[in-house]
Amino acid sequence: MKKMKAALMYGPGDIRYEQVERPCCPEGGFLLKVKAVGLCGSDIRNLLTDSKAGRYPHIYGHEIVGEIVEIDENVTKYQRGQMVYVYPMAHCLRCENCRNGKHECCTEAESYTDLQGGFAEYIAYSATRVERGAIFEVPEGREPIAATLAEPLSSTYACMENIQVSLGDSVVIIGAGPIGVFLAILARIRGASKVIVIDKNADRLALMEAFNVDHRIDSSKEDPVEKVKEYTNGHGAHKVISANPSIEAQQQSIFMARKCGIVVFFGGVAKNQLTPIDTNAVHYNNLWIYGHYGANSIQVEKSFHLSLSDQFPAEKIISHVLPLADINQAIELTREGKALKVVLLPEEEYKIHSLLKSQK
């Protein structure tokens, strides 16, 4: 049996880079050699909690770009040697929600967190995965590392499109992590006249300076509601997006929106925690509150192309490219706010990438 290196989770915070059996090419599917895999906030949450309820070891990682190295002879849609990005959620395209265009609410979707993930040198994709698609070829000459941003970009792109951020809007984003950055960039692309970002981490707020936001509010030092009102002439923002796991942020977001404004709960909070909300403020100010998760299939495809376009500053977002062996360091850098977005590369690919960068 062939071997590979992978980052295995043995329990909360117990992640070990070690050798395991390499997966085989499944019937009707293909085997991908991972070239790059992004470290997502949900990955960090899963890796640091008892997310598998004792069912260990497990391999996470879902922001995956790689090369098809083995493929079933009956698969004709893809070829060996193709560089592809694989969207993690395999929508069935047949259930009622999918047929209504709400693929993100697919009732028959494969749960990718139950399968082996991409924090490894290789990952296998099944016949079901191949049949359902959402697999996109990275054009020759485009950086595969940048394509790892397509997955988190898809959800933020869908959010901006669904709430129709448009020319002249004022937009508040609570959370200066990678998702907050994506939202800020997209708000500007869609014509927002004012973009305000709030966080309690000064290091993360400092990183936002590179993304053309109008105001940065440190909520550990200032009242964010008062500052938003100040920056919007006392009215509040047209759109307010709580993109973090904070109950307090969700509570405050209601008071940052102007009358007839829209509030989005983008970030999930910890399980079994409830957010008390002033429903009178919602009622009398005629606010619309949305929960947001995922993206439909068309939004997924558009986001992939945007992630590789010159319009999207991938090089500013990816602050660290590290070998997969350094996944624990990557987690700490992200948690401390010292890294904006980390992309991990299997050891061999990391050496190749570093060599190319040193020759520039």
Side-chain angles (χ1 to χ4, degrees):
M1 182 65 71
K2 295 181 179 179
K3 300 288 186 178
M4 69 172 183
K5 290 290 187 68
L8 275 74
M9 177 187 180
Y10 281 89
D14 185 2
I15 304 104
R16 310 174 199 174
Y17 184 67
E18 57 189 27
Q19 200 169 63
V20 296
E21 289 185 0
R22 192 176 105 176
C24 298
C25 178
E27 184 177 349
F30 60 75
L31 185 69
L32 198 73
K33 180 178 174 60
V34 177
K35 293 292 183 178
V37 53
L39 179 65
C40 176
S42 65
D43 289 323
I44 294 175
R45 182 175 65 248
N46 286 330
L47 290 167
L48 298 181
T49 62
D50 190 18
S51 55
K52 301 304 292 182
R55 302 187 304 277
Y56 302 109
H58 183 74
I59 302 173
Y60 276 108
H62 61 276
E63 300 176 357
I64 302 164
V65 175
E67 178 187 352
I68 297 175
V69 291
E70 292 182 34
I71 191 165
D72 184 88
E73 60 182 8
N74 296 314
V75 176
T76 58
K77 190 174 181 180
Y78 307 103
Q79 295 87 40
R80 182 183 284 107
Q82 271 187 307
M83 185 74 67
V84 295
Y85 154 68
V86 183
Y87 183 68
M89 187 68 73
H91 303 135
C92 76
L93 308 180
R94 296 186 181 93
C95 71
E96 181 179 353
N97 289 333
C98 280
R99 287 184 285 113
N100 280 326
K102 301 294 184 182
H103 307 98
E104 64 272 28
C105 295
C106 174
T107 57
E108 303 298 329
E110 256 186 351
S111 177
Y112 61 87
T113 56
D114 289 337
L115 306 172
Q116 177 205 298
F119 292 146
E121 291 183 291
Y122 295 88
I123 182 172
Y125 287 101
S126 67
T128 298
R129 179 73 248 211
V130 170
E131 176 191 346
R132 294 184 176 186
I135 299 166
F136 306 96
E137 183 173 14
V138 179
E140 188 174 348
R142 290 294 181 177
E143 176 55 70
I145 292 174
T148 63
L149 298 179
E151 193 279 330
L153 179 60
S154 65
S155 188
T156 53
Y157 179 94
C159 177
M160 292 281 105
E161 186 170 80
N162 293 350
I163 64 172
Q164 299 180 356
V165 171
S166 58
L167 188 67
D169 276 350
S170 52
V171 179
V172 169
I173 300 158
I174 312 175
I179 293 299
V181 170
F182 292 140
L183 290 168
I185 292 169
L186 291 169
R188 195 62 87 189
I189 288 174
R190 293 181 65 90
S193 62
K194 186 168 291 184
V195 179
I196 302 168
V197 178
I198 302 169
D199 204 293
K200 60 183 179 181
N201 186 307
D203 290 332
R204 284 192 169 184
L205 281 174
L207 294 173
M208 292 298 300
E209 187 175 2
F211 299 102
N212 192 28
V213 301
D214 296 287
H215 303 286
R216 291 170 289 159
I217 300 171
D218 186 339
S219 58
S220 71
K221 299 177 180 178
E222 301 176 292
D223 184 324
V225 175
E226 288 185 3
K227 295 302 291 185
V228 167
K229 291 292 181 69
E230 177 185 330
Y231 294 142
T232 56
N233 299 318
H235 298 298
H238 293 92
K239 314 284 167 64
V240 180
I241 306 168
S242 181
N244 62 83
S246 165
I247 286 175
E248 183 181 12
Q250 290 185 345
Q251 290 175 315
Q252 292 175 330
S253 65
I254 303 298
F255 300 100
M256 296 177 188
R258 65 173 55 203
K259 288 180 180 293
C260 303
I262 290 176
V263 176
V264 182
F265 293 163
F266 191 106
V269 301
K271 289 183 179 180
N272 301 320
Q273 289 193 9
L274 301 177
T275 301
I277 290 178
D278 186 338
T279 56
N280 272 339
V282 176
H283 170 67
Y284 288 110
N285 290 304
N286 202 21
L287 301 180
W288 283 55
I289 300 179
Y290 288 86
H292 179 81
Y293 174 80
N296 68 36
S297 292
I298 297 300
Q299 291 165 336
V300 166
E301 184 171 357
K302 288 180 179 179
S303 301
F304 166 71
H305 294 299
L306 179 60
S307 72
L308 295 175
S309 74
D310 295 334
Q311 195 175 11
F312 192 72
E315 72 286 349
K316 291 183 180 180
I317 297 169
I318 299 171
S319 59
H320 293 71
V321 178
L322 298 173
L324 181 58
D326 290 348
I327 186 170
N328 286 296
Q329 178 190 354
I331 291 170
E332 287 308 307
L333 286 170
T334 305
R335 291 183 70 199
E336 293 169 3
K338 296 178 180 177
L340 180 54
K341 183 66 176 178
V342 180
V343 175
L344 298 165
L345 280 62
E347 192 70 35
E348 178 185 348
E349 301 304 328
Y350 179 76
K351 291 175 182 176
I352 293 172
H353 183 264
S354 298
L355 177 62
L356 290 175
K357 290 195 77 169
S358 68
Q359 291 175 342
K360 290 183 180 179

